[in-house]
């Protein structure tokens, strides 16, 4: 019943910024931890960030720490990923995913279809 839709991807130059949004429908996100993942061509999907249901805990991959910020607005049923200082190696399809427990973890149950982020000059 829960559906997730990512938006905000696009083409940016190195050093630029993007803000991705993950909007949920069907159910409230209030009790779900939300993770962000990315997958580049020929590479495995990797976890980028996670935010707990109440935003008490946030996690980041070492490769994006200090450049990305995850946040959520449960009243809007939306989770955001602010990406600053983008690098070509950030190029990937970015997915949000819901975990049907409040805390961040390793498994996720509902996935969006992804949004393309391309960092290139």
């Amino acid at each position: 019943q829960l559906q997730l839709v990512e938006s905000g991807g696009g083409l940016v130059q190195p050093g630029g910024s993007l803000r991705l949004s993950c909007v949920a429908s069907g159910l409230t996100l209030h009790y779900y931890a939300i993770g962000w993942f990315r997958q580049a061509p020929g590479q495995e999907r990797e976890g980028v960030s996670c935010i707990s249901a109440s935003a008490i805990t946030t996690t980041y991959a070492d490769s994006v720490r200090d450049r990305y910020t995850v946040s959520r607005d449960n009243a809007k049923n939306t989770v955001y990923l602010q990406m600053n200082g983008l690098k070509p190696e950030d190029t990937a399809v970015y997915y949000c995913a819901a975990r049907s427990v409040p805390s961040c973890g390793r498994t996720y149950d509902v996935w969006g279809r992804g949004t393309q982020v391309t960092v290139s000059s």
Side-chain angles (χ1 to χ4, degrees):
Q1 190 172 11
L2 176 67
Q3 297 184 68
L4 303 175
V5 179
E6 304 94 336
S7 64
L11 174 64
V12 296
Q13 295 184 344
S17 297
L18 285 173
R19 188 179 74 161
L20 306 184
S21 297
C22 174
V23 179
S25 62
L27 294 174
T28 179
L29 286 181
H30 183 71
Y31 297 109
Y32 292 82
I34 301 295
W36 285 97
F37 300 81
R38 67 185 182 186
Q39 187 166 26
Q43 300 185 22
E44 295 183 346
R45 184 177 62 203
E46 63 174 334
V48 173
S49 183
C50 180
I51 185 166
S52 64
S54 296
I56 300 299
T57 300
T58 58
T59 68
Y60 299 93
D62 289 342
S63 59
V64 307
R65 187 171 290 110
D66 299 327
R67 298 188 297 118
Y68 290 15
T69 302
V70 65
S71 62
R72 67 191 298 160
D73 186 340
N74 286 341
K76 297 180 179 179
N77 231 21
T78 301
V79 176
Y80 304 97
L81 185 67
Q82 178 68 46
M83 305 185 294
N84 299 325
L86 286 165
K87 305 174 181 179
E89 52 263 44
D90 294 318
T91 296
V93 177
Y94 282 71
Y95 302 88
C96 64
R99 175 176 165 87
S100 57
V101 294
S103 301
C104 292
R106 295 178 179 86
T107 61
Y108 293 80
D109 305 305
V110 180
W111 293 76
R113 296 184 185 275
T115 185
Q116 177 71 48
V117 172
T118 302
V119 184
S120 176
S121 59

